[in-house]
Amino acid sequence: MRLRLPTIAACVMAVLVLVSPPARAWLESSMTAQMLVQLPLLAAVGAWMASALPASAGEWFARRDRWGINGLLLASMTSLVWMLPRALDAAVDDAWIAGAKFATIPLLIGMPLALSWRRASLVLRGVFLAETIATCFRLGWLYQVSPQRLCSNYLLNDQQRLGYWLLVIGAALFVLLMGKLLAGRFDPGPDAQMQGGER
Amino acid sequence: MDTLRTLLLSLLIVIAGGATLAAATDGFRAFTTESARRLAVREHAVPVPDFPLQSASGGHFTLQDLRGHWLLVDFVYTRCQAWCSVLGGEFAQLQDLLAAPIAQDRLRLLSISFDPVNDDPAQLAAYQHRFGDRGHGWIAARPLDGASLNLATRVFGIRVIADGTGGYIHNASIALVDPQGRLVRIFDSGRPDVVAAALQEMLAQ
């Protein structure tokens, strides 16, 4: 498969739209919009970009990404950095940090997640999802109860509203995961198939 | 072979990620903008530039005129119902707790308004009166132009955002400027005893 130029162009366009001053002004005007709309959209663009990678690049990464662990690890580490209140503040105030945000969230979170997820085993996916749910609850609870503003650029009621929505999202993911565990069908993943493993 | 490559890359990601996190938090010591600012000031004193102010008595002066004294500085707006009332009461308490150095003219307290359009000298005087000004050592003042206001809030790291109902939300803290005119410490508001104790220690040195 060759580099898919139309998809790449569309992804670049999507990032440009998100970087444009009106979109930034709107999505960065509240902590809730930034964390629940802007950052997920950027990651989604990265995931989309993964489908446009040339096969050779995909194979290069696949050889260094057994069980999908490195894509998930890279995405987790990058997310940790952008979960720092300081980093979110700086990305609003400083053009260089903003540039880093708009580049690393698609390339180091969205893209590796999309590439590694299908390689990840059932157990690894479960651990990753459980940790995502736990993070939603931890941050949501912190934002709900913290009497202090954690981001200098945003209001306390905005922080509490974000906390509420993180709890809702964490609960929804939990219900989905439980539903899948109780009633779903499982794809054991390519590794298990290769090893003749069973579900 | 793939396993080895994978583990090697994992190691790289963990090292690079750890280094980035350490750099972004000053070695895991500051996770918010506010704590980062305090840490930075504590480690490297920041020279405070000169800017003109008008006091509650209507007189004009510049920050340079206050050199040679220790200065405790806070930022307020007099219509404020929240933090500024805490800060106002706190400055009156500090006048009591630090009465000796104030009487010796080694220390001054300075409240700077970030709402200079509304906070004219009369409003500033009323603010001080409302919170029990003891009558000496506490200056309330407003910057006279936008450039001075921006300079002051930037140097002292004060972030002011509109709260949507005509008021402002701002970080409440008390800054300490040494007699050489350098910002050396930033204290939490709400603990005048801590501020007074730290100051007594520095004055004793």
Side-chain angles (χ1 to χ4, degrees):
Chain A
M1 199 195 328
R2 312 224 10 191
L3 192 68
R4 289 185 186 156
L5 280 176
T7 313
I8 297 268
C11 290
V12 170
M13 280 299 293
V15 172
L16 285 180
V17 168
L18 286 170
V19 176
S20 70
R24 279 194 68 190
W26 180 49
L27 292 172
E28 290 175 8
S29 65
S30 85
M31 196 173 169
T32 312
Q34 175 165 197
M35 281 193 65
L36 297 186
V37 182
Q38 189 191 48
L39 304 189
L41 278 177
L42 281 171
V45 172
W48 187 20
M49 233 180 259
S51 68
L53 271 188
S56 55
E59 278 158 21
W60 184 91
F61 182 57
R63 281 197 299 273
R64 286 154 185 81
D65 188 38
R66 270 210 84 184
W67 316 291
I69 58 172
N70 280 337
L72 299 189
L73 187 64
L74 183 59
S76 306
M77 292 301 274
T78 313
S79 310
L80 263 180
V81 173
W82 291 115
M83 265 183 242
L84 296 170
R86 240 184 117 167
L88 275 197
D89 265 339
V92 173
D93 299 331
D94 182 307
W96 286 103
I97 310 282
K101 184 180 90 173
F102 283 101
T104 56
I105 290 183
L107 295 177
L108 301 186
I109 296 181
M111 194 190 274
L113 266 186
L115 290 173
S116 295
W117 190 255
R118 31 173 196 235
R119 281 195 277 272
S121 66
L122 186 64
V123 171
L124 185 60
R125 287 180 191 185
V127 168
F128 189 85
L129 275 176
E131 189 50 41
T132 304
I133 292 168
T135 302
C136 284
F137 280 131
R138 275 194 293 259
L139 284 184
W141 178 60
L142 172 70
Y143 291 167
Q144 286 259 293
V145 301
S146 170
Q148 276 189 335
R149 292 180 307 128
L150 297 168
C151 282
S152 303
N153 286 323
Y154 298 112
L155 298 174
L156 193 60
N157 61 2
D158 188 11
Q159 181 170 304
Q160 287 165 350
R161 181 179 50 183
L162 173 60
Y164 170 81
W165 281 110
L166 282 173
L167 292 179
V168 170
I169 291 168
L173 284 175
F174 178 74
V175 169
L176 279 175
L177 188 61
M178 289 314 281
K180 176 98 176 161
L181 280 177
L182 294 173
R185 283 160 45 97
F186 293 98
D187 163 17
D191 262 15
Q193 281 163 3
M194 270 188 297
Q195 291 153 9
E198 49 196 314
R199 39 186 285 203
Chain B
M1 199 60 205
D2 280 4
T3 308
L4 197 65
R5 280 201 199 102
T6 299
L7 293 180
L8 207 64
L9 184 57
S10 303
L11 196 67
L12 257 173
I13 293 173
V14 170
I15 291 172
T20 309
L21 273 173
T25 55
D26 290 313
F28 303 102
R29 288 180 298 167
F31 296 89
T32 64
T33 311
E34 183 73 18
S35 55
R37 185 171 71 98
R38 291 178 188 205
L39 190 68
V41 164
R42 218 177 158 137
E43 292 187 340
H44 302 283
V46 180
V48 178
D50 198 23
F51 50 85
L53 293 164
Q54 182 184 30
S55 73
S57 60
H60 292 240
F61 67 103
T62 72
L63 222 57
Q64 181 82 39
D65 300 332
L66 299 174
R67 285 275 166 87
H69 306 275
W70 289 88
L71 272 185
L72 284 172
V73 184
D74 70 358
F75 282 75
V76 299
Y77 72 108
T78 63
R79 288 177 296 137
C80 183
Q81 306 291 322
W83 276 116
C84 314
S85 21
V86 178
L87 284 166
E90 206 166 332
F91 263 29
Q93 283 181 54
L94 282 169
Q95 280 181 304
D96 289 338
L97 290 168
L98 295 165
I102 290 175
Q104 294 158 8
D105 206 19
R106 298 178 69 192
L107 169 70
R108 301 269 176 90
L109 310 179
L110 174 64
S111 293
I112 299 177
S113 166
F114 54 76
D115 184 20
V117 176
N118 187 65
D119 291 341
D120 56 13
Q123 291 292 339
L124 292 169
Y127 172 77
Q128 283 183 289
H129 179 72
R130 196 156 71 237
F131 291 106
D133 178 18
R134 309 291 193 258
H136 48 265
W138 181 11
I139 308 163
R142 63 169 174 173
L144 282 170
D145 55 89
S148 301
L149 177 62
N150 286 339
L151 189 64
T153 51
R154 191 157 45 84
V155 169
F156 286 97
I158 300 298
R159 195 97 49 125
V160 179
I161 44 182
D163 69 359
T165 61
Y168 301 102
I169 298 290
H170 58 107
N171 40 354
S173 51
I174 297 177
L176 177 65
V177 177
D178 71 3
Q180 288 83 52
R182 300 177 311 162
L183 174 58
V184 288
R185 283 285 283 278
I186 294 169
F187 300 102
D188 276 326
S189 82
R191 292 298 303 272
D193 52 326
V194 172
V195 178
L199 213 71
Q200 295 284 16
E201 195 179 306
M202 280 191 223
L203 286 164
Q205 277 170 11

